[in-house]
């Protein structure tokens, strides 16, 4: 008999989750920059200044609300030991999220906020509905391949085209595309092996992307145990779960140099089932979309970024179709649908929850790809502001709290891309740059402080390369990645401009340079923990590490004014190489990253 061990489930305090998740989501939503800088003649933008003033007012408003909330909780008489969140219903947790992030609720006819129980709440926060959603801009300058174009790096390695890494990944052969006359057989069910793989999936994969409820997974798996595998979509879903269990538990030293796929007996038939279903399904089947996300995750685990993007792009368009159909269901029903019993309220809510979780997983993964490649958008970013957050169905399960936190930091990171790295439109006014970066950094600190303390990542230097929790490591890495990118423009300005360009702001500029270099250093240290094991972040971390170490390398060139701030550049380069070398394979872009870094070290002597 298969028994699920909930080893990754954590109990947290009711007051902590109530207050902290409120802040977690309001921070993600309400602070924005929306000024697209003129690439030809960028000056101090009055629009930016006005936006900063509005942000200041919003922050002050939120501080007041948070203090009022804390005071009201004290007046209610908190106990010395706060109760577990297991005493807090999922409806109560979700209501707290929506009340503090008003736009995530659907609107009631009177303009207030409408919840399923029919209660309407008037929105008291300033409206930001007129502001467009923030996306990762096309041709942004954050990606690693653009850092290769810095004069200090070009002098060491020469010039590379902007599609260099794309072309490498696009040319990689595939071994799972089962077409033509090739016979694909369904695996024979081995209960003992499948139980182990399912356990691995739940402990190693589900925690990153909880797109299917545990109870639903166990129900589907129970059907497979009773009836065996078949060519149905549900069977394909379980096959993908087992394949992910296999790839997520694969030892690093067993997959080097072109090793075959992990769990091929599960992935190959699952690929045929899900991809064929995706091509033929026009009914917005959420199970098909779930399968596409799982297939995209599998590609991420084996460091295939473009293949991962293709699955996620398909899943994204599928879930957008499902959401569109759901929103118009009552107005556009077929004769057959009118003759049959309409879905119950609980069924409608359950379907919407599935759609929401698929949506946010697609958003996270697609944004990671768009951060490093110029790829067609699926359109999912444009409707982010209209989407609710996942419901915390089990308040004691910390995986959803981590999921919410990662969604929030991803949106903030997109805002950084959009504020600082639009095409060649670097902000020429140093005064504006200082203000914008200061505000973005304040939002980052607000995000960090808003994470419930039991799941908040430790930022102390002793914890950077250790840990027992992958999700905590991911949030720590996201924090340093965001902080480094916020302050990177100051490093680029200093190494490429004369001191006259920052004159009276010299002290603040160099302080911000140090913040960037320190964040890169910490980022490099804390990625080692995740890169010692298979995760869906392997390629993303390898590529972003490459961009980060190139910034350090450019700052450390002989004669540069920042050289004294990075005396450990060689040590940091060695750490990056040590972390990413195990993931090299013939023909993959990580191999080429390693070669470029090795060439840089050879040139530097």
């Amino acid at each position: 008999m298969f028994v699920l061990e909930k080893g990754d489930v954590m109990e947290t305090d009711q007051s902590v989750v109530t207050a902290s998740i409120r802040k977690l989501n309001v921070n993600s939503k309400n602070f924005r920059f929306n000024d697209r800088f003129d690439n030809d003649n960028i000056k101090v933008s009055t629009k930016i200044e006005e936006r900063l003033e509005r942000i200041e007012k919003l922050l002050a408003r939120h501080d007041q609300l948070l203090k009022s909330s804390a005071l009201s909780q004290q007046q209610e008489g908190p106990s010395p030991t706060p109760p577990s969140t297991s005493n807090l219903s999922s409806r109560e947790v979700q209501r707290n999220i929506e009340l503090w992030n008003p736009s995530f609720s659907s609107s009631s006819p009177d303009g207030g906020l409408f919840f399923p129980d029919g209660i309407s709440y008037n929105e008291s926060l300033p409206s930001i509905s007129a502001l467009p959603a923030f996306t990762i801009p096309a041709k942004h300058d954050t990606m690693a391949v653009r850092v290769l174009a810095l004069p200090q790096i070009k002098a060491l390695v020469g010039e590379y085209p902007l599609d260099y890494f794309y072309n490498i990944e696009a040319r990689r052969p595939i071994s799972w595309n089962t077409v033509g006359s090739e016979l694909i057989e369904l695996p024979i069910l081995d209960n003992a092996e499948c139980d182990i793989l399912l356990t691995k999936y739940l402990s190693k994969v589900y925690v990153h992307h909880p797109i299917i409820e545990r109870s639903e997974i166990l129900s589907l798996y129970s059907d497979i145990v009773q009836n065996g595998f078949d060519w149905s979509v549900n069977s394909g879903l379980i096959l993908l779960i087992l394949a992910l269990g296999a790839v997520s538990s694969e030892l690093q030293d067993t997959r080097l140099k072109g090793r075959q796929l992990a769990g091929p007996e599960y992935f190959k038939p699952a690929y045929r089932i899900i991809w064929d279903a995706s091509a033929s399904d026009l009914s917005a089947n959420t199970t098909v979309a779930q399968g596409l996300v799982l297939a995209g995750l599998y590609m991420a685990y084996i460091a295939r970024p473009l293949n991962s993007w293709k699955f996620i792009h398909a899943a994204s368009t599928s879930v957008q179709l499902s959401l569109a159909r759901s929103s118009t269901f009552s107005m556009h029903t077929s004769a057959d649908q009118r003759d049959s019993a309409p879905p119950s309220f609980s069924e409608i809510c359950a379907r919407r929850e599935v759609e929401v979780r698929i949506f946010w997983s697609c958003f996270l993964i697609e944004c990671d790809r768009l951060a490093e490649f110029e790829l067609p958008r699926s359109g999912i970013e444009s409707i982010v502001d209209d989407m609710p957050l996942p419901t915390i169905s089990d308040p004691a399960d910390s995986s959803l709290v981590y999921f919410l936190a990662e969604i929030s930091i991803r949106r903030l990171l997109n805002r950084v891309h959009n504020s600082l790295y639009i095409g060649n439109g670097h902000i020429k006014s140093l005064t504006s740059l200082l203000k914008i970066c200061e505000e973005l950094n304040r939002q980052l600190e607000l995000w960090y402080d808003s994470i419930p303390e039991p799941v908040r990542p430790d930022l102390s230097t002793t914890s950077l390369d250790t840990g027992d929790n992958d999700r905590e490591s991911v949030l720590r890495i996201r924090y340093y990645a965001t902080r480094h990118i916020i302050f990177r423009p100051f490093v680029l300005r200093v190494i490429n401009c004369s001191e006259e360009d920052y004159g009276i702001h010299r002290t603040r500029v160099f302080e911000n340079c140090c913040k960037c270099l320190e964040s890169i250093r910490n980022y490099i240290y804390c990625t080692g923990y995740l890169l010692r094991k298979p995760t869906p972040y392997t390629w993303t971390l390898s590529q972003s590490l490459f961009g980060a170490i190139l910034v350090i390398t450019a700052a450390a060139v002989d004669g540069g004014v920042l050289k004294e701030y990075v005396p450990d550049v060689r040590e940091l380069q060695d750490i990056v190489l040590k972390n990413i070398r195990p993931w090299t394979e013939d023909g993959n872009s990580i191999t080429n990253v390693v070669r470029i870094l090795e060439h840089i070290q050879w040139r530097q002597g």
Side-chain angles (χ1 to χ4, degrees), residues 31-45:
F31 314 122
R32 306 184 172 277
F33 296 98
N34 184 38
D35 299 288
R36 291 186 175 275
F37 306 106
D38 185 343
N39 292 344
D40 297 322
N41 186 23
I42 304 169
K43 298 180 179 179
V44 179
S45 172

Side-chain angles (χ1 to χ4, degrees), residues 152-327:
Q152 296 83 356
I153 303 300
K154 287 171 64 175
L156 295 171
V157 300
E159 192 164 350
Y160 287 83
L162 291 178
D163 59 354
Y164 177 69
F165 293 115
Y166 175 89
N167 288 335
I168 292 171
E169 291 294 336
R171 289 195 297 264
R172 294 178 67 184
I174 58 177
S175 60
W176 61 86
N177 191 10
T178 54
V179 296
S181 60
E182 181 179 352
L183 179 63
I184 299 298
E185 296 181 352
L186 292 168
I188 298 174
L189 181 66
D190 182 332
N191 285 1
E193 179 182 279
C194 290
D195 281 1
I196 293 172
L197 294 179
L198 180 57
T199 303
K200 296 292 186 183
Y201 170 84
L202 291 171
S203 63
K204 296 177 180 292
V205 183
Y206 171 86
V207 293
H208 292 298
H209 289 272
I211 63 170
I212 313 173
E213 287 280 11
R214 294 173 185 268
S215 58
E216 179 66 15
I217 293 172
L218 296 180
S219 175
L220 292 173
Y221 181 69
S222 178
D223 291 341
I224 296 297
V225 170
Q226 292 180 15
N227 305 312
F229 295 108
D230 57 34
W231 293 98
S232 68
V233 173
N234 284 347
S235 184
L237 207 63
I238 293 298
L239 286 167
L240 283 168
I241 286 171
L242 298 177
L244 281 163
V247 74
S248 65
S249 55
E250 188 179 30
L251 295 177
Q252 197 180 65
D253 57 1
T254 66
R255 63 170 305 282
L256 301 179
K257 310 305 178 188
R259 182 193 179 280
Q260 290 185 347
L261 295 175
E265 68 274 25
Y266 303 114
F267 182 78
K268 286 187 176 182
Y271 171 81
R272 171 166 285 185
I273 292 170
I274 296 300
W275 197 246
D276 287 353
S278 172
S280 59
D281 175 57
L282 297 176
S283 62
N285 187 329
T286 55
T287 306
V288 174
Q290 287 172 327
L292 290 167
V293 173
L294 294 181
L297 282 173
Y298 184 92
M299 292 294 112
Y301 267 94
I302 62 174
R304 291 267 189 165
L306 293 183
N307 301 108
S308 174
W309 165 79
K310 195 161 189 175
F311 280 115
I312 296 303
H313 191 281
S316 175
T317 55
S318 178
V319 75
Q320 289 179 72
L321 175 61
S322 180
L323 288 164
R325 286 178 56 81
S326 296
S327 65

Side-chain angles (χ1 to χ4, degrees), residues 6-33:
K6 288 194 175 182
D8 57 333
V9 173
M10 171 189 301
E11 288 195 352
T12 54
D13 294 334
Q14 174 178 349
S15 59
V16 172
V17 172
T18 302
S20 299
I21 295 184
R22 288 175 177 178
K23 292 192 293 180
L24 174 67
N25 295 295
V26 77
N27 292 343
S28 166
K29 174 72 178 174
N30 291 308
F31 314 122
R32 306 184 172 277
F33 296 98

Side-chain angles (χ1 to χ4, degrees), residues 29-33 51 55 128 131 134 385 411 415:
K29 174 72 178 174
N30 291 308
F31 314 122
R32 306 184 172 277
F33 296 98
R51 182 61 47 76
I55 288 170
I128 56 169
L131 300 177
F134 262 71
D385 288 346
R411 296 176 68 184
R415 189 170 301 123

Side-chain angles (χ1 to χ4, degrees), residues 556-577:
V557 296
D558 290 336
V561 294
L562 294 177
K563 182 177 174 61
E564 63 181 289
Y565 295 96
V566 281
D568 55 346
V569 58
R570 185 74 178 211
E571 175 189 344
L572 295 172
Q573 291 171 344
D574 287 339
I575 293 172
V576 171
L577 286 169

Side-chain angles (χ1 to χ4, degrees), residues 425-584:
H426 295 300
I427 305 169
K428 291 183 179 178
S429 165
L430 193 53
T431 302
S432 283
L433 181 63
L434 286 164
K435 283 189 175 183
I436 292 171
C437 292
E438 179 182 356
E439 180 53 46
L440 289 169
N441 187 61
R442 186 153 82 127
Q443 293 179 31
L444 174 63
E445 297 304 324
L446 284 171
W447 168 82
Y448 177 76
D449 291 338
S450 72
I451 301 173
E453 189 169 352
V455 298
R456 186 183 301 156
D458 183 2
L459 299 180
S460 65
T461 55
T462 58
S463 67
L464 294 182
D465 194 29
T466 60
D468 299 322
N469 188 318
D470 288 1
R471 297 303 290 152
E472 182 180 336
S473 294
V474 169
L475 296 187
R476 184 185 300 115
I477 287 168
R478 295 285 196 189
Y479 172 87
Y480 284 119
T482 306
R483 192 169 187 261
H484 139 235
I485 293 173
I486 288 173
F487 292 110
R488 183 196 287 182
F490 295 98
V491 173
L492 302 184
R493 184 179 289 259
V494 167
I495 65 176
N496 290 309
C497 301
S498 65
E499 188 168 348
E500 296 176 355
D501 292 328
Y502 43 87
I504 62 172
H505 298 294
R506 186 181 192 282
T507 299
R508 291 180 65 190
V509 167
F510 273 79
E511 285 176 354
N512 288 342
C513 287
C514 290
K515 290 176 184 178
C516 174
L517 299 174
E518 175 198 23
S519 298
I520 292 176
R521 187 176 285 109
N522 289 333
Y523 179 65
I524 290 171
Y525 288 148
C526 65
T527 53
Y529 174 72
L530 284 187
L531 285 172
R532 286 197 291 269
K533 63 180 76 175
T535 72
Y537 302 95
T538 298
W539 188 88
T540 298
L541 292 180
S542 299
Q543 195 73 4
S544 59
L545 274 174
F546 180 52
I549 195 61
L550 288 179
V551 173
I552 287 271
T553 301
V557 296
D558 290 336
V561 294
L562 294 177
K563 182 177 174 61
E564 63 181 289
Y565 295 96
V566 281
D568 55 346
V569 58
R570 185 74 178 211
E571 175 189 344
L572 295 172
Q573 291 171 344
D574 287 339
I575 293 172
V576 171
L577 286 169
K578 177 185 176 182
N579 288 342
I580 67 177
R581 268 199 188 104
W583 303 103
T584 59

